[in-house]
Amino acid sequence: HIIEPIYKRTPSKLKKHRFGQEPILAGAYTIDKWEPGQYIRAKKNPYAKGILQPTLDEIVWRIIPQTNTLESNLVAGTIDAISPIGLSLDQATQFEKRHSKDFDFHYTPGLVWEHIDFNLDNEILKEKKVRQALAFGANRKGIVKLLFNNKQPVAHGTEPPKSPYHNPYIKKYPYDPKKANELLEQTGWVRKEKDGIRYKNEKELKLVLMSTSGNKTRERVEQLLQSQWRKIGVNVEIKNQPAKVFFGDTLRKRKYSHMAMYSWVKDPVAVSDTLWRCDYIPSKSNNYMGQNQPGWCNKKADKLLKSASRELDDKKRAQIGKDFESLWATELPALPLYFRVEVSITKKGLKNWSPTGMLQPVSWNAHKWAWN
């Protein structure tokens, strides 16, 4: 009744109509006013009944892009909470050290998986033992402790602990430089005394690690890994790019030569088949469709992933996902780093703030929000 006459009259102006910024909602709250780039004010829906009847009269979402301004507004009392997208983990932990008495800090396990893809077309990284040596030579537990105060768990596979496909019994790669050195020796990479770097057929064991430039957390992780891998005789060059270039061309067309560090948001229900199936390796022939950037093609993995997408029984599908995780961890087409934790902060006294770490916004239960 509202949209059809607008669309028929001028289809191109539909997005600019008032309805786009003041939609009719049937939940606990309706939109009272929306000032783009400034705030959104929601008011109690007088028609909401039963469990959806809200306690608070109104909620105002302020748009504050600068993290320093976010913090100062919270301390000044002009805002009561910071949503999970507001501060990074390291910013939140530093803020907690200064203001733990006045605020509640919510660290929620999320679905974001930080990892390093290996380019399996590369002659060095085709060798599974080399990939495993890199895993044993990376002190991921130490990185998580140093940078994230142990609040983000080390990843051993592709699925976070809250996933139905998480398998705690897969092959793990704890920090073990001795084991890493043994594997590299087995593959013919011999350390030269003059510089400590390994060589094979007079070729240096040198790898390029790429990620998004300007991301301070990733840059620190890269520097730590670079130092750790040098201890096992691997020379790593860091070569970052702006996110637009890195994701737009380098990753999509698999133009990274050795290793690429970035993250995926895991689906809470589906097995991520587009990440690992053979037919989802981006190439010119398939117009660069799919996200299998490592180029991993494994017949057993393909069979498991295809059967998981067809299986309707939750328990059977979960077992297929766990079997895949076990295979993946053994083959190691990518190096899992850690699962991100979502951080949000609320003023003391705000009740029922319940971030899920999933894909829905934190306001999913706003009708239950209340003050002590």
Side-chain angles (χ1 to χ4, degrees):
H1 297 290
I2 295 175
I3 297 297
E4 185 180 26
I6 301 168
Y7 180 77
K8 285 184 174 179
R9 191 164 57 246
T10 49
S12 62
K13 293 185 178 181
L14 181 61
K15 290 183 178 180
K16 297 179 181 179
H17 190 266
R18 181 181 59 84
F19 181 81
Q21 294 188 350
E22 297 179 21
I24 296 174
L25 303 176
Y29 292 90
T30 58
I31 301 300
D32 180 47
K33 190 172 184 181
W34 182 354
E35 287 289 341
Q38 298 182 49
Y39 67 88
I40 299 173
R41 184 170 64 224
K43 63 181 180 180
K44 181 190 291 187
N45 183 355
Y47 300 101
K49 300 183 184 302
I51 61 169
L52 282 180
Q53 192 167 8
T55 302
L56 302 177
D57 291 329
E58 71 173 25
I59 300 172
V60 178
W61 282 271
R62 291 184 59 192
I63 293 87
I64 304 174
Q66 299 297 328
T67 56
N68 289 338
T69 310
L70 262 180
E71 292 183 12
S72 60
N73 273 265
L74 191 61
V75 173
T78 53
I79 61 175
D80 302 308
I82 295 178
S83 74
I85 64 169
L87 298 179
S88 65
L89 180 62
D90 54 338
Q91 289 171 326
T93 53
Q94 291 301 316
F95 186 76
E96 185 177 14
K97 290 177 181 177
R98 302 191 302 271
H99 301 285
S100 59
K101 293 181 180 180
D102 302 315
F103 303 98
D104 291 318
F105 293 79
H106 309 265
Y107 297 94
T108 311
L111 295 172
V112 178
W113 178 59
E114 190 80 12
H115 66 289
I116 295 175
D117 277 348
F118 297 125
N119 189 332
L120 302 185
D121 291 342
N122 179 264
E123 288 300 322
I124 299 172
L125 294 172
K126 274 183 179 179
E127 175 60 62
K128 181 167 65 175
K129 287 185 178 181
V130 172
R131 304 196 299 271
Q132 292 177 332
L134 290 169
F136 280 120
N139 188 359
R140 293 170 292 163
K141 189 175 181 180
I143 290 173
V144 165
K145 181 180 180 180
L146 179 65
L147 300 185
F148 311 121
N149 198 26
N150 285 328
K151 293 186 183 296
Q152 295 195 134
V154 172
H156 299 289
T158 74
E159 297 290 341
K162 64 167 58 180
S163 166
Y165 315 116
H166 174 72
N167 186 345
Y169 305 108
I170 60 176
K171 182 176 177 64
K172 296 180 176 67
Y173 302 86
Y175 182 50
D176 190 342
K178 182 179 178 181
K179 182 66 175 177
N181 283 315
E182 289 174 357
L183 288 168
L184 291 174
E185 292 284 344
Q186 290 171 19
T187 54
W189 290 99
V190 181
R191 195 189 294 266
K192 290 253 179 129
E193 292 184 5
K194 61 177 182 178
D195 58 6
I197 300 300
R198 294 181 179 275
Y199 289 80
K200 184 178 182 180
N201 299 326
E202 301 302 318
K203 182 180 179 181
E204 182 186 27
L205 181 48
K206 183 177 180 179
L207 302 173
V208 175
L209 174 60
M210 303 184 72
S211 191
T212 51
S213 57
N215 186 312
K216 298 301 181 185
T217 300
R218 283 192 177 134
E219 288 173 356
R220 291 181 71 187
V221 172
E222 284 179 312
Q223 290 163 7
L224 289 169
L225 287 171
Q226 183 185 46
S227 175
Q228 292 164 7
W229 282 333
R230 189 172 185 85
K231 291 177 182 178
I232 61 170
V234 182
N235 184 13
V236 174
E237 178 187 357
I238 297 171
K239 193 175 181 181
N240 293 336
Q241 294 178 327
K244 186 177 181 180
V245 178
F246 181 71
F247 291 113
D249 194 56
T250 301
L251 266 184
R252 192 174 74 87
K253 295 185 178 180
R254 302 184 65 233
K255 290 184 177 180
Y256 66 101
S257 53
H258 300 108
M259 299 183 290
M261 181 168 69
Y262 61 106
S263 63
W264 284 122
V265 179
K266 306 295 292 185
D267 190 295
V269 177
V271 177
S272 304
D273 59 341
T274 61
L275 302 184
W276 307 114
R277 272 170 44 179
C278 298
D279 53 341
Y280 284 114
I281 298 174
S283 66
K284 190 175 182 179
S285 61
N286 68 3
N287 199 26
Y288 301 102
M289 297 295 290
Q291 294 86 38
N292 188 347
Q293 265 80 22
W296 186 47
C297 187
N298 183 289
K299 290 182 179 180
K300 187 176 180 181
D302 260 29
K303 185 177 179 181
L304 287 168
L305 291 169
K306 288 176 181 177
S307 62
S309 64
R310 294 191 297 264
E311 181 56 65
L312 299 179
D313 185 281
D314 289 343
K315 289 184 178 179
K316 291 181 180 178
R317 189 171 62 253
Q319 186 56 55
I320 294 170
K322 290 176 181 179
D323 291 342
F324 171 78
E325 281 289 278
S326 181
L327 172 64
W328 186 95
T330 302
E331 294 296 318
L332 208 66
L335 176 63
L337 294 175
Y338 50 85
F339 295 108
R340 282 199 213 157
V341 168
E342 292 186 354
V343 189
S344 55
I345 306 171
T346 56
K347 186 185 293 184
K348 293 280 187 184
L350 181 61
K351 298 193 301 182
N352 302 321
W353 179 273
S354 302
T356 65
M358 305 285 254
L359 303 179
Q360 69 264 52
V362 73
S363 57
W364 71 274
N365 72 330
H367 56 284
K368 291 185 178 181
W369 293 353
W371 289 105
N372 278 335

